[in-house]
Amino acid sequence: MYARVAIASNALPTPGLPAAVANALHQAAVEGLHAHGRLVFGSNGDAVELIKAVQSGPGLPPDARRRWSEMLIHLAKIKRITISRPDTVPVASINALADLRQHWGGHADVAVVAAEACEPLGVPVDEWLLTDTGQRPDVATTATVPQCSAIKRLRGLADHATAPRGSSRDQFWRDVLEPLATGAQQATVVDRYLFKALWDLTTGKHWTTGWRGEHLGWLLRRLDAVMGASAEVRLIGAASRDHPTMTAERTADALRTLWAPESAGRLARVTITLAAPGRPASFPHDRHIRFSTGGAVLLAAGFDRLRAAVITDEDGMNWQYRWSRAALQELTSTERRAAALPGAGAVVLERPAASVERTA
């Protein structure tokens, strides 16, 4: 759900516009990047130049300056800012489209440039936007970045928010979950029935005879490959009367057969929390996965829709994307409430330090 965005240090000024119009343009740009952007800089110096432009550069109204400053601080905190290695030529110093694509085609999906740079770069000056199918990056200005194809595709994906019957769960991973998981230090999954398929397999329920997998091992293996170094995954589910012997400890043992901590990977630990509320209604109804990179996905029907390689339910799988701070805070509160329910027990699967991959 994130596009890689490189912003030229001279791209922010909007001179000649009334303050209200300029603020509205900057607000749309900041909100679009907050929801769907991962910032990429050519070097530490490139990042510093944009920070200077935000703090004291010309042509930026005070309200817009505040919004950009808050966004940069927030994205840095949740690790959605990347410095290119090795250093790459700053976007602000490039004045030919071929050079922009040579230096940034492999690093960014969108390049945000100054309005005066549009003509030298071959961007239509009456549109301030250049999208060439199959060529990266899109080229936009601060005013048009919400309309660039990379951002619009993600917005459309979130608006449609349905994986149809017969579609691949791996495609859902690539389109929706992987961008949120990449570089995350923590992921939290809450689902009342999160462990049911695992328990059914472990206890040999007859209806599992034809199964070719389940969703927890599938998800953990993929998170293990892309999350940040020494990351943690927290799995929170509810105990079941149908499986009275499946404690948190036995659930951890069963999970160990699907995700082997002894092998190398990005995850340092997986925490299994199993709540046993007195009333089933006490456990949160909504099911979600939240990432420390600032995004979450809600799955109303539950994560077991991802048990098979394709979505088999006739209605497909509907989901919702959440990114605002208020929405994420509500989900965090839900997680705390579930983990604090009476009877909740937690077991941690620790990966040996020598097996934790600490570099990308």
Side-chain angles (χ1 to χ4, degrees):
M1 300 301 292
Y2 300 138
R4 299 167 300 168
V5 181
I7 304 177
S9 58
N10 60 349
L12 300 186
T14 47
L17 293 178
V21 175
N23 282 325
L25 291 177
H26 284 287
Q27 179 178 354
V30 167
E31 289 183 353
L33 294 174
H34 190 176
H36 296 298
R38 184 184 292 272
L39 300 190
V40 185
F41 293 97
S43 64
N44 287 323
D46 191 19
V48 168
E49 289 303 312
L50 183 67
I51 293 171
K52 289 180 179 178
V54 169
Q55 291 177 338
S56 57
L60 200 59
D63 188 59
R65 199 180 300 280
R66 175 185 59 80
R67 290 181 186 276
W68 280 100
S69 179
E70 290 176 351
M71 186 198 70
L72 289 176
I73 292 170
H74 180 64
L75 293 189
K77 181 179 179 180
I78 61 177
K79 300 187 183 301
R80 265 168 54 193
I81 293 180
T82 302
I83 306 297
S84 177
R85 294 288 185 267
D87 290 357
T88 302
V89 178
V91 172
S93 65
I94 296 176
N95 55 19
L97 183 60
D99 292 339
L100 180 65
R101 287 180 169 159
Q102 176 187 347
H103 292 292
W104 283 95
H107 299 287
D109 303 299
V110 183
V112 183
V113 303
E116 57 269 22
C118 286
E119 187 171 0
L121 289 171
V123 179
V125 294
D126 57 340
E127 297 180 7
W128 287 355
L129 182 63
L130 178 65
T131 297
D132 188 352
T133 304
Q135 295 282 341
R136 290 178 179 167
D138 290 349
V139 187
T141 66
T142 302
T144 60
V145 66
Q147 282 74 52
C148 70
S149 64
I151 300 294
K152 286 178 68 176
R153 183 187 73 80
L154 295 173
R155 195 163 57 237
L157 185 65
D159 288 344
H160 182 253
T162 299
R165 180 183 184 183
S167 62
S168 165
R169 68 177 178 181
D170 285 336
Q171 189 65 51
F172 176 74
W173 164 258
R174 288 190 294 270
D175 288 345
V176 180
L177 297 181
E178 183 177 15
L180 303 176
T182 300
Q185 291 301 131
Q186 188 179 80
T188 303
V189 184
V190 175
D191 184 341
R192 178 198 302 269
Y193 305 108
L194 185 61
F195 304 111
K196 184 180 183 303
L198 176 65
W199 294 337
D200 287 348
L201 282 170
T202 301
T203 56
K205 296 297 185 183
H206 66 85
W207 54 79
T208 66
T209 303
W211 286 11
R212 296 186 177 180
E214 50 67 67
H215 52 286
L216 280 178
W218 171 83
L219 180 62
L220 283 176
R221 288 190 293 273
R222 279 151 184 78
L223 294 174
D224 209 2
V226 303
M227 288 184 69
S230 302
E232 177 187 17
V233 173
R234 302 189 302 158
L235 305 174
I236 305 174
S240 170
R241 294 176 182 175
D242 294 334
H243 295 281
T245 64
M246 294 305 296
T247 61
E249 290 77 9
R250 290 199 63 191
T251 300
D253 290 340
L255 191 60
R256 191 186 297 273
T257 67
L258 302 172
W259 176 73
E262 294 75 17
S263 61
R266 309 287 287 166
L267 302 181
R269 66 192 62 84
V270 174
T271 302
I272 298 100
T273 299
L274 192 61
R279 296 183 301 109
S282 300
F283 196 92
H285 177 73
D286 290 338
R287 300 118 190 216
H288 71 263
I289 180 168
R290 181 182 60 84
F291 297 95
S292 61
T293 50
V297 174
L298 281 63
L299 291 177
F303 284 82
D304 56 2
R305 289 287 175 95
L306 298 168
R307 179 178 59 78
V310 297
I311 308 301
T312 58
D313 192 275
E314 184 176 352
D315 296 323
M317 183 180 68
N318 297 320
W319 52 276
Q320 299 176 56
Y321 174 53
R322 294 287 184 267
W323 59 270
S324 73
R325 297 188 199 187
L328 295 177
Q329 184 57 52
E330 288 181 6
L331 296 180
T332 302
S333 297
T334 295
E335 296 158 11
R336 290 172 178 163
R337 179 163 62 88
L341 284 170
V347 174
V348 179
L349 292 179
E350 292 273 3
R351 168 171 271 144
S355 296
V356 177
E357 297 178 1
R358 304 190 182 278
T359 57

